[in-house]
Amino acid sequence: MVGGGLAAGRAAQALREHGHTGPLLVIGDERERPYIRPPLSKGYLLGEEERDSIFVHPEDWYAENGVDLLLDTSVRSVDPRAREVELENGRRISYTGLLLATGSSPRRLRVPGADLENVLYLRRVGDSERLRTVFTEGSRIVVIGDGWIGLETAAAARTAGAEVTVLGHSDLPLLKVLGREAAEIFAGLHKDHGVRLLPRVEVERITGTKGRVDGVLLADGTRLAADAVVVGIGITPNVRLAEQAGLEVRNGIVTDEHLRTTAPEIHAAGDVANAYHPFLDRHVRVEHWANALNQPDTAALSMLGQEAVYDRLPYFHSDQYDLGMEYTGFTEPGGYDRVVFRGDTGQRRFIAFWMAGNRVLAGMNVNVWDVVDPIRALVRSRADVDDRLLADPDVPLASLLP
């Protein structure tokens, strides 16, 4: 397994559970053993979770299960013909099966001053710990980017008592992801908690004094004072090894429904995999925890010669202030007709359904729990559903299934 995150750790576990008795090696470029990333922008960042809680397995699990960890180590190249990986130090390691779980990296801000001290990103555990030190009472935090990471870090900073400004390119946070109706709810949530939202802005430069950030200059001449700047403008899949090895790469490493790449005995899973999804009848790359959690089981079975198929619907969750949400299904901008709401959007306790014709494409439950399974069943059923029944909280979701 190349990549030391959740997908690699889960793949090692799945290979053992499914009967593989041979050597297993996890190669990761971080010093930490495989860990889970969502707490880095949620509970761990807020100081609500202990450090030990983020790891995929206890430290002694690897030795007990015969899994070797090669940490703080980068892979230079993959040779599919020789079935070897080459490390940065020149050492070559042969494989009979290879899983690329190389994840993704934050997109870097490309403006003058972006390299100043306290211009921060969130991807690794050290990033989360650094953010926690600057999210203090009265500190001035500017967040560039109004996607999930930007909003979750803004919520953490505001909870810590910081003064927070979020800069976005669109009219509303999450507009591209959720559409206007649902995006307005998240905008209202942050405004109610004292976050300043600035839509449709362009960052001209980051300003600083003695190498340390002190503000953000916008293209319209506005200057925002800042003690730290958090950049959350998306991530890019880490495909260098796959490209150099001649694998098909298109918005990630292209795989089939078995998570097999275009090279023999090489599989991919997690953020980096652009996998064919048989239910959706298209390739999908999902940048969320659930794929890194669940895809490795399919990859492990496939690596062991079984015809396992990954067809779980995309899923993700977010926690911001007193709002918790889960999203199940798949849709894109322009891919749906309307959004149907069930519940009280004013109280932020509702379910939203993205519709195409009379079919449910995806659902998001906000502060409403134990409904993911019926939402998932509705999506998978492809059933015709009446909007009035879907919007009526007195009508059980299960009753709408064919």
Side-chain angles (χ1 to χ4, degrees):
M1 281 69 69
V2 175
L6 172 60
R10 289 282 293 184
Q13 176 183 336
L15 284 163
R16 286 293 184 238
E17 290 176 347
H18 293 303
H20 179 67
T21 58
L24 287 177
L25 175 63
V26 174
I27 307 173
D29 62 1
E30 296 190 57
R31 295 182 180 181
E32 307 288 349
R33 68 184 186 274
Y35 60 87
I36 304 167
R37 298 191 191 276
L40 305 187
S41 62
K42 299 178 177 70
Y44 187 62
L45 178 57
L46 289 165
E48 298 171 351
E49 298 180 29
E50 297 296 326
R51 202 173 198 274
D52 283 348
S53 70
I54 71 173
F55 293 104
V56 180
H57 299 112
E59 190 170 5
D60 56 5
W61 181 90
Y62 296 92
E64 291 174 356
N65 289 273
V67 179
D68 293 319
L69 293 179
L70 193 56
L71 303 179
D72 198 19
T73 301
S74 296
V75 173
R76 177 184 295 164
S77 64
V78 173
D79 186 339
R81 290 187 178 180
R83 296 192 180 178
E84 291 181 333
V85 299
E86 182 181 6
L87 307 182
E88 283 294 342
N89 62 10
R91 177 186 171 192
R92 298 179 73 87
I93 301 173
S94 62
Y95 64 83
T96 53
L98 174 64
L99 179 70
L100 294 177
T102 47
S104 53
S105 299
R107 292 195 184 106
R108 313 301 290 188
L109 187 65
R110 306 294 183 186
V111 299
D115 57 350
L116 288 168
E117 183 183 351
N118 269 13
V119 176
L120 306 172
Y121 296 79
L122 178 56
R123 185 62 183 170
R124 301 188 171 195
V125 62
D127 299 333
S128 183
E129 291 164 352
R130 179 70 179 125
L131 288 174
R132 198 190 302 178
T133 67
V134 300
F135 289 174
T136 57
E137 184 76 34
S139 61
R140 299 164 300 179
I141 307 297
V142 175
V143 179
I144 301 176
D146 57 0
W148 293 112
I149 290 296
L151 293 189
E152 288 179 359
T153 54
R158 193 72 193 100
T159 300
E163 300 174 10
V164 182
T165 301
V166 175
L167 310 182
H169 274 301
S170 303
D171 291 341
L172 293 163
L174 302 171
L175 182 60
K176 184 178 179 180
V177 179
L178 298 180
R180 181 167 298 277
E181 302 96 326
E184 286 175 344
I185 293 168
F186 281 88
L189 170 71
H190 282 268
K191 289 177 181 177
D192 287 351
H193 282 84
V195 174
R196 183 186 181 193
L197 300 177
L198 296 185
R200 302 181 304 279
V201 299
E202 181 179 348
V203 175
E204 183 75 19
R205 66 170 55 242
I206 309 296
T207 63
T209 303
K210 296 182 179 179
R212 185 183 181 91
V213 65
D214 64 15
V216 178
L217 181 65
L218 305 183
D220 65 3
T222 302
R223 185 183 181 280
L224 307 170
D227 298 304
V229 173
V230 182
V231 181
I233 54 176
I235 58 177
T236 302
N238 295 327
V239 297
R240 179 186 61 83
L241 291 175
E243 286 179 329
Q244 292 176 348
L247 278 61
E248 183 179 357
V249 171
R250 186 178 68 251
N251 182 32
I253 302 172
V254 175
T255 79
D256 63 12
E257 65 267 38
H258 310 291
L259 301 178
R260 298 179 299 211
T261 71
T262 50
E265 307 306 328
I266 300 181
H267 294 67
D271 285 6
V272 77
N274 186 10
Y276 177 74
H277 197 290
F279 178 80
L280 300 172
D281 192 25
R282 55 165 295 163
H283 282 81
V284 179
R285 186 174 68 84
V286 179
E287 299 175 348
H288 295 288
W289 155 88
N291 266 30
L293 178 72
N294 296 307
Q295 279 187 341
D297 191 69
T298 299
L301 288 168
S302 185
M303 293 171 82
L304 296 175
Q306 300 185 40
E307 290 294 300
V309 170
Y310 189 79
D311 63 355
R312 291 179 67 98
L313 289 175
Y315 166 92
F316 65 91
H317 71 284
S318 182
D319 297 306
Q320 300 171 35
Y321 311 108
D322 55 355
L323 182 150
M325 62 75 69
E326 299 172 289
Y327 181 102
T328 306
F330 180 81
T331 186
E332 293 182 301
Y336 61 94
D337 305 330
R338 64 199 180 282
V339 181
V340 175
F341 290 91
R342 164 186 288 229
D344 191 336
T345 57
Q347 295 296 315
R348 301 187 188 111
R349 184 179 175 84
F350 64 90
I351 307 173
F353 300 93
W354 281 259
M355 307 292 294
N358 293 323
R359 179 184 161 199
V360 178
L361 302 178
M364 179 178 70
N365 49 299
V366 174
N367 289 340
V368 177
W369 306 113
D370 301 321
V371 293
V372 169
D373 286 345
I375 292 173
R376 182 182 294 121
L378 273 174
V379 174
R380 297 195 74 95
S381 74
R382 306 183 195 270
D384 285 344
V385 182
D386 187 291
D387 283 13
R388 293 170 298 175
L389 298 177
L390 197 60
D392 187 345
D394 293 327
V395 176
L397 291 177
S399 71
L400 302 177
L401 293 168

